[in-house]
Amino acid sequence: MADCAQCGVALQGSPLICGGCGAVQPVAATDYFAVLGLERRLGLDGAAVEREFHRLSRRLHPDRFARASEAEKQNSLAATALLNDAWRTLRDPVERVEYLLKLEGYAVGEEHAGKGKSAERQPPPDLLEEVFELNMQLEELRMSQRMGETADAEVVADLAAAEKRFAAMLNDVDAALVAEGARWDGGQGRAEAAARMIELLDRRRYVRNLVRDVRQSLTVTA
Amino acid sequence: MEYIVGIDLGTTNSLVAYMQGDEPVVIPGVDGSNLVPSIVTLDPLPTGGEEAPRPTVTVGNSARRALIATPERAIYSVKRLMGRGVEDIAEELKLFPFRLAADVQPGEVLRIQLGEMSFTPSEISAYILRQLKRNAERFLGAPVKKAVITVPAYFNDAQRQATRDAGRMAGLDVLRLVNEPTAAALAYGLDRGGESAARTVAVYDLGGGTFDVSILKLNDGIFEVVATNGDTHLGGDDIDNLLLVVALDEIRAEHGVDLRQQPDAIQALRKAVIEAKIALSTEPVAKLDIELPGGDRYQREIPREVYEQLIAPVLGRTAGPCRQALADAGMAPEEIDEVVLVGGSTRIPAVRALVDEIFHLSARGRKPHTELNPDEVVAMGAAVQASILEGSSAATDQLLLLDVTPLSLGIEALGGVVARVLQRNSTIPASATEHFTTGVDGQTNVAIHVVQGERELAKDCRSLARFDLKGIPPMPAGLPRIEVRFLIDANGILQVSAREQRSGTEAQIEVKPTYGLTDDQVEAMILDSFDNAESDFAERQLIEARLEADTILGAVARAPENAAWARLSADEHAAVFAARDHLIAVHPGSDLKAIREATTALDAATRRFAELMMDDAVSQAMRGKTMESADQTLNAGQAEIHAPHPFAPAQMEEAAVAQTTGESHD
């Protein structure tokens, strides 16, 4: 842990502020978990972290430094931005997983699929057949929309059913992510858990886009 | 004592407030009114003299009459033009008598022609701000140099910058831009400081020209905005324009008179429909009765049902943003504990009904908050925020505002699609980092286009700025790694910095704001150094008080030339003369208070005269124009008013026929 830039006392908890003299620290290389005084774990007590976020906000926010020196203002702005970035990222369970994996050196999303051939566009193997079918139906629906015709009721019904199925699949993915996250936090078989989470994140992105596309097409029809 | 004031720079009215102890208080103007109409007119330029004329302007209530008498020298609703380019105001030009300066080029900051001179929207706003600053200085008896200014939550970066520039031009250090709905929540929150249990509040803010909705969580003094949405071109103005267009269409259809090319007649008619609109918030029916050129009268009853049917499409445009804000917050209407109504337009019963429906209020046995004056609550909240920044009041010591950025920030990527850098509703300050590289060997520049908005394609979003990253060391294509950091500060304004990581060189950034003024331009537009000279505040106050006295004495000296003067009673004449003589007597002295009081007294004594002159101006404008003033018509086409909705007049006519059949037009 670093020392306070002002009074030299060793910093405890968040590295953004000195617990001793209260000085806002110049922002140094740090990670979002540290910013909120957290260990690098995927399971977190949302309410407790929110309380910490509010507590730190009260101390760091630029509103508290309106009459301070230019340097203090800049520190406050940078520290508050970092605090907000940290809370925005970590409060979301999916973003939290992505962030932690990247922090631990894993390639996630575009980084491992390669730019342009993002995993978002490549269906997971077990969904290939179903997605092919779904895309045909979507195309049919869009065609009839373009022609100004009434959409085939059967196609609409099939798509609505598919939407439900894929939305449920999203929930399954999220549940699986939580389970793998717990395994990661347990410390046993981390590499395996990480590989599985990366796969789940890809699957999640893909399915989420599918659900969005189907929803959009169905709203236009309705 | 140094004061930080809170300013609501509104489309229709502007206000200034400050914290008096633990209470926010709105500061009245010299005429005793808390609202300063956001109207600016250019005074006649002094003749003679070799130097370029130094323009003087009139702001507020005193500018109202000039709006009708000399519309080509007046402007209102300038807030609609803040931070916008020539390209994107075509719609406004159809509906508002804004006259662009003839030499404005696309890509330049707009300039508005007032009489012989042209002004940027920020300069016009600066005149309004300077008036508020002077009102505050007069009231507080001390210089005012720092302010918190409110902006619509849905204002983009350019609109915020233009507002901040206006503050600087007016000689104000703008400590913070605060979002209007958030300010309103602060004013209410302070009012009910006793409660500490967490609750969720929606603020519905329909003002003169802008609409915002914000959803906040209030928890132990922290006001945390969860989601915000809105439309920066939707408000009471749109209702006025709708009524105006209907009236113009009817006058043409029924009386064969086309008033569209007569700006003064349009302003007079506009005044009449606004009065009708206001009446319809409390009365079941409003009447228009206007004398037309040629002696005909346009007489018309507007029943509330017809009015509500007519404005429903305008009000309906507020529903989408409300639902989107709820969706973004991940909340159902039932999860909103309280709804706060802000802005003059929320006095309209149909607006209240719509809000009730959107948030399921009466179904849950709830009512929206309307305890604080909807015209004043934003300024009061700005004063509360000023006090928070000041850190001097125990009442605001525990309060903290955590606001969000209303629009997503993105960069134009290959194919013109937007790569999102920061999502909307991110708590500010917020930052994000992106990496860029080169596409050609030895390339030393990279151009970056930053946009704001929710659409997929950059061309459909708001262009914020184009950045040129320069001074990249020549390297093979794809090797440089340029880190660009985007930071949205607590005002919602973007800052950018960049660094080439392989060589460690700080890349230079040349910022070309798409719709903004450069620092130098702002500097050149600072209204006058006299205002900023703090050396002798007392002397300045005295000079200003005498100038005010001169203005009203001049008006009284010219009064007998006006036909309205003869309509005053002998007693009224005597009262005016007595007040005038008293002012003349105290004028040369250095008793500031005495001069001001005498000025206020003379203003009060001439109030009825001013009203009569206003009435005359209205009827003169309507009765038609002399040959001479035909020159003053707005440049045709550009300023022509069209129905804002193609179906609106027809709908009104249909309804009107149904409603007026059988009524006599006496």
Side-chain angles (χ1 to χ4, degrees), chain A residues 50 53-54 57-58 61-64 66-67 77 80-81 84-85 88, chain B residues 176 220 222 224 385 389-390 397-399 422 426 428-431 487:
Chain A
E50 184 172 30
F53 167 67
H54 283 161
S57 292
R58 280 188 200 276
H61 198 275
D63 281 5
R64 298 280 175 230
R67 294 184 308 166
L77 176 59
T80 309
N84 288 338
D85 296 345
R88 185 174 68 243
Chain B
R176 180 75 77 246
D220 199 21
I222 292 194
E224 189 172 7
Q385 176 66 19
L389 296 180
E390 218 164 15
D397 194 36
Q398 288 305 307
L399 300 184
L422 268 172
S426 293
I428 54 173
S431 65
L487 173 68

